[in-house]
Amino acid sequence: MARYDRAITVFSPDGHLFQVEYALEAVRKGNAAVGVRGTDTIVLGVEKKSTAKLQDSRSVRKIVSLDQHIALACAGLKADARVLINRARIECQSHRLTVEDPVTVEYITRYIAGLQQKYTQSGGVRPFGLSTLIIGFDPYTGAPSLYQTDPSGTFSAWKANATGRNSNSIREFLEKNYKDTSGQETVKLAIRALLEVVESGGKNIEIAVMTREHGLRQLEEAEIDAIVAEIEAEKAAAEAAKKAPLKET
Amino acid sequence: MECVFGLVGDGFAIVAADTSAVHSILVHKSNEDKIMVLDSHKLVAASGEPGDRVQFTEYIQKNVALYQFRNGIPLTTPAAANFTRGELATALRKNPYFVNILMAGYDKEIGPSLYFIDYIATLHKVDKGAFGYGSYFSLSIMDRHYHSGMSLEEAIGLVDKCIMEIRSRLVVAPPNFVIKIVDKDGAREYAWRESLKDVSVTSA
C-alpha cells in the first residue's frame, strides 16, 4: 500500500487514488461546516474553534465572498483554501469582464472543482486538502443554490449539506429535519444542525446569511447567541411537553 | 471632439462628458455614456480611442472589484488612480492605450477628489480638469469662475456655463452631455443636457 501513495498520478492495484483519499481525511479533521438552502435565504455555518486570547478574531474569517452574489465556506487546509478562493475570485471578475455577466453558482463551482481535479492528475503536486460549500443566487432566475466540492474534484448540488468534522452526524440530523424553510427559519435550521456537534454559544459558531436583495451578511455574535437561546428554549419546551403527559398517567 | 471635464466642490466631485460616438464624419449614436461608475464611490470619465476606452475602463473596474473582494475593503480614490496610471504606464512602451481619464471619487477620510490621468500616464490630483478640444473652453471658463468649496448649485451652474461655451464655440460641438456626481452618498448620474433628442420620424 505504501508504494502507491507517493506520486498521486499512480492508481493503486485496487483502483484507489490514495492521495485524494488522504486529502479527504484532512477534510474530515477540519472544522465542521454546514450549508442550508431555503426558498429565499441560504445559510452557511462554520464551527469556530476557540480563538487564542491574543488573536484578533476578525482576521480569521471562515466564510468568504467570492462575488456579490456568491459565498463560500470550507473545511480542511485553510492555506489551500486561500489559493482556491483567490483563483475563484479572479475567475468571477474575469467572467464579468469577458461576457459582461456575473457567474452562475454552477459555473464557479464547476471552475473550483475543475481546479481541484487538475491537481489530482498532475505530476509532483498534491491535491487541495479541502471541501467547499458554495452558495449563491442565480443572477438571472434568482433561484438559490448550494453546491459542494471535494478534493477529488467532484461537485453536486444539495438542499442542505455538511462537511468537515462530524459531518455525518450533521447530515443525519439534516436528513431527519430538513424541510423547505425561508428567512429566519433557514438560519435556525443551520444553527440547530451545527449545534449537534459544536459547543453551544455565539463565540463557537460563525454564521453568514445570503439573501437575494442584501447579498451576504455575517451575523454578529450577539445575534447568534440570541438565536441559540431561542433554539434552547424551544428544545426545553419540547422536552417539557414530552414529560408532562407522561406524568399525568 | 470629445469633451470631458470635471471639478471638485464642497463635499462632492462632478464630471461631465459629451455623449456622441463619432467615426470620421458619421455620428454612430448621441447617447453614449462615457462616465463609468467604477464602484460605489468612484467615477471614471474617459475619452479617446473608443475601443481602448471601453476595454481599459472595464479592465480597471473589474480589478478594483477584485481588490475589494480580496481585501474586504474598497480601494481609496488615490489608490485607484495610481493603479490606473500604473497600468497605462506599463502598456505605454509596448501597446499603449489611447484613453484620457478623469477619475472622481469620495473617501470618508479624504473627502472628494479628482484625478487627471493622461494617455501617456501622467497623473495629477486636481481641483478642476478637462480633456479634448472642449478643454480649451471649459478650462478657461473654470479658471474664471471656479473657487474651492463651491455648492452644488454653483458647480452645476459652472458646468452649464462650460457646456454652453463648448456648444457655441466648438465647430463640431457635441449636442448632448451627461453629468455625474459622487459624494458621501455614492456615485450616480445627476443629469443629461440634451440639445438634440432622438425623435421618431412620423411616416410620410
Side-chain angles (χ1 to χ4, degrees):
Chain A
M1 277 308 162
R3 265 175 287 157
Y4 299 102
D5 57 17
R6 210 129 13 100
I8 46 89
T9 45
V10 182
F11 275 106
S12 71
D14 53 350
H16 288 247
L17 285 172
F18 279 114
Q19 279 300 301
V20 176
E21 291 182 12
Y22 297 161
L24 280 156
E25 257 314 298
V27 170
R28 255 172 249 133
K29 294 208 164 35
N31 49 240
V34 70
V36 178
R37 185 189 84 193
T39 52
D40 60 0
T41 307
I42 332 174
V43 183
L44 279 175
V46 178
E47 166 192 12
K48 235 192 330 189
K49 291 211 184 85
S50 51
T51 43
K53 273 206 191 136
L54 296 172
Q55 190 182 60
D56 187 349
S57 55
R58 289 170 306 172
S59 66
V60 195
R61 277 261 156 263
K62 298 200 176 160
I63 305 173
V64 296
S65 269
L66 296 183
D67 201 343
Q68 278 161 356
H69 60 302
I70 313 257
L72 174 148
C74 56
L77 269 50
K78 287 295 180 280
D80 287 4
R82 239 182 14 241
V83 174
L84 268 184
I85 289 167
N86 194 33
R87 298 283 296 271
R89 282 174 169 156
I90 294 175
E91 180 61 22
C92 284
Q93 294 307 312
S94 182
H95 187 274
R96 277 179 187 262
L97 186 60
T98 47
V99 304
E100 270 200 23
D101 273 330
V103 296
T104 57
V105 192
E106 204 238 339
Y107 177 94
I108 199 65
T109 305
R110 205 169 341 114
Y111 177 81
I112 292 174
L115 269 179
Q116 287 180 293
Q117 191 279 341
K118 218 176 284 199
Y119 282 70
T120 69
Q121 212 176 7
S122 295
V125 297
R126 62 162 176 81
F128 288 98
L130 69 144
S131 290
T132 68
L133 286 170
I134 301 166
I135 62 167
F137 286 91
D138 190 298
Y140 317 104
T141 64
S145 306
L146 166 67
Y147 282 86
Q148 190 209 33
T149 74
D150 64 30
S152 64
T154 51
F155 71 93
S156 51
W158 293 75
K159 292 184 197 164
N161 201 0
T163 178
R165 205 165 66 84
N166 298 343
S167 57
N168 287 325
S169 334
I170 306 181
R171 210 171 302 120
E172 257 177 57
F173 173 88
L174 286 168
E175 280 175 12
K176 247 189 268 168
N177 294 286
Y178 181 85
K179 56 185 198 307
D180 277 333
T181 53
S182 71
Q184 195 69 330
E185 282 307 306
T186 318
V187 183
K188 268 207 204 147
L189 180 55
I191 296 183
R192 270 169 49 217
L194 204 48
L195 286 177
E196 291 283 304
V197 302
V198 174
E199 216 183 286
S200 139
K203 56 179 170 53
N204 300 311
I205 304 177
E206 194 177 304
I207 302 280
V209 182
M210 179 171 278
T211 50
R212 223 167 279 129
E213 303 79 32
H214 303 292
L216 189 74
R217 192 173 73 87
Q218 309 262 8
L219 295 190
E220 308 261 325
E221 209 179 285
E223 282 182 90
I224 303 175
D225 276 330
I227 303 176
V228 169
E230 253 181 77
I231 293 171
E232 315 254 274
E234 280 171 14
K235 254 196 230 166
E239 285 294 310
K242 244 193 272 172
K243 288 202 187 116
L246 281 172
K247 271 198 189 151
E248 280 166 8
T249 53
Chain B
M1 301 301 175
E2 289 190 321
C3 306
V4 173
F5 61 94
L7 58 112
V8 176
D10 183 20
F12 64 90
I14 261 192
V15 280
D18 77 285
T19 59
S20 37
V22 169
H23 185 86
S24 156
I25 57 166
L26 174 70
V27 177
H28 277 300
K29 60 192 295 211
S30 44
N31 59 353
E32 168 84 356
D33 188 352
K34 297 178 191 168
I35 308 182
M36 163 183 280
V37 176
L38 199 68
D39 73 11
S40 63
H41 286 74
K42 287 182 198 45
L43 289 170
V44 167
S47 72
E49 188 73 48
D52 282 351
R53 174 169 54 80
V54 175
Q55 292 293 85
F56 182 72
T57 53
E58 283 187 356
Y59 170 74
I60 297 295
Q61 186 190 50
K62 302 310 186 248
N63 272 283
V64 167
L66 182 62
Y67 179 96
Q68 180 160 353
F69 282 107
R70 273 201 184 129
N71 299 285
I73 51 165
L75 272 172
T76 59
T77 311
N82 276 279
F83 170 68
T84 306
R85 189 245 149 212
E87 290 297 306
L88 284 167
T90 309
L92 181 62
R93 292 182 196 277
K94 285 209 173 85
N95 198 4
Y97 295 103
F98 284 105
V99 198
N100 299 308
I101 285 172
L102 275 177
M103 185 180 288
Y106 184 92
D107 305 288
K108 216 158 57 125
E109 307 80 33
I110 306 170
S113 51
L114 184 66
Y115 285 86
F116 171 105
I117 306 169
D118 202 301
Y119 74 101
I120 41 177
T122 312
L123 173 68
H124 289 305
K125 183 176 185 304
V126 294
D127 286 329
K128 53 191 182 321
F131 283 110
Y133 286 118
S135 70
Y136 291 117
F137 309 106
S138 47
L139 275 175
S140 306
I141 297 284
M142 288 197 283
D143 281 343
R144 169 71 183 82
H145 295 287
Y146 177 87
H147 60 88
S148 68
M150 290 173 84
S151 71
L152 184 59
E153 293 77 36
E154 289 179 300
I156 292 294
L158 180 51
V159 166
D160 280 328
K161 278 200 184 73
C162 293
I163 292 176
M164 277 197 295
E165 192 71 9
I166 290 170
R167 275 191 187 144
S168 56
R169 287 299 187 183
L170 190 54
V171 63
V172 199
N176 302 336
F177 284 80
V178 64
I179 305 173
K180 294 199 182 177
I181 186 174
V182 59
D183 60 16
K184 65 174 173 27
D185 299 321
R188 59 196 179 278
E189 194 177 282
Y190 180 83
W192 283 70
R193 297 285 186 249
E194 287 171 311
S195 67
L196 192 72
K197 274 204 168 64
D198 277 324
V199 185
S200 49
V201 182
T202 49
S203 49

